[in-house]
């Protein structure tokens, strides 16, 4: 607490209360109450934050979290010295479907093979004609 008054609660400006990330990256921004100097951003994999870990601590009014694996995460923020946390943000990380990844890789391998075959046939025909 600063100047003997309770600190205002910090609230997320973005992202929405529930959001999806397709690349494991999430950007956060929060409103800065008057007289707040530092913030703490926590991440958890359970809604009650029993496994919470601090992902950011400092004066900035936002943070970018990267490297999240597939799954569901919960985030909350508070002003330093406050016991009141923001409403949590639920982030679901979903990467591209692996079936689609393998299908695209198969098409790529086929196209590579067809290109090499066309080059070798053209080279062979040119040598035979000479």
């Amino acid at each position: 607490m600063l100047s003997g008054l309770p600190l205002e609660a910090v609230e997320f400006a973005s992202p929405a209360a529930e959001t999806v990330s397709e690349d494991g990256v999430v950007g956060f921004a929060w409103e800065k109450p008057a007289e707040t100097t530092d913030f703490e951003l926590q991440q958890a994999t359970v809604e009650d934050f029993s496994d919470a870990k601090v992902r950011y601590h400092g004066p900035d009014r936002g943070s970018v979290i990267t490297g999240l694996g597939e799954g569901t995460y919960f985030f909350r923020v508070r002003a330093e010295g406050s016991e009141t946390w923001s409403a949590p943000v639920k982030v679901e990380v979903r990467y591209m479907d692996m079936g689609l990844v393998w299908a695209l890789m198969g098409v790529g391998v086929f196209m590579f093979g067809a290109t090499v075959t066309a080059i070798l046939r053209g080279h062979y025909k040119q040598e035979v004609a000479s």
Side-chain angles (χ1 to χ4, degrees):
M1 292 200 297
L2 297 172
S3 67
L5 298 173
L7 292 174
E8 294 177 47
V10 177
E11 290 300 326
F12 284 107
S14 67
E18 290 192 21
T19 190
V20 175
S21 170
E22 295 179 342
D23 59 3
V25 177
V26 183
F28 294 95
W30 47 81
E31 301 296 327
K32 179 180 179 176
E35 299 186 30
T36 303
T37 55
D38 281 348
F39 302 93
E40 179 180 341
L41 175 68
Q42 285 188 344
Q43 170 189 323
T45 58
V46 290
E47 202 166 0
D48 68 2
F49 285 85
S50 59
D51 67 344
K53 62 181 178 178
V54 175
R55 289 302 304 260
Y56 173 78
H57 184 266
D60 294 338
R61 290 186 294 164
S63 183
V64 175
I65 305 297
T66 62
L68 295 172
E70 275 196 323
T72 302
Y73 301 90
F74 299 90
F75 294 87
R76 65 184 181 181
V77 65
R78 71 177 174 183
E80 185 177 73
S82 174
E83 293 188 24
T84 305
W85 290 96
S86 67
V89 168
K90 179 181 177 182
V91 176
E92 189 172 335
V93 178
R94 287 187 242 153
Y95 290 101
M96 186 181 290
D97 176 43
M98 287 308 291
L100 179 59
V101 170
W102 286 109
L104 292 173
M105 285 178 56
V107 169
V109 167
F110 173 77
M111 293 304 295
F112 176 77
T115 302
V116 168
T117 300
I119 291 170
L120 292 176
R121 279 188 175 170
H123 178 70
Y124 175 75
K125 284 183 181 181
Q126 186 177 10
E127 280 192 8
V128 170
S130 321

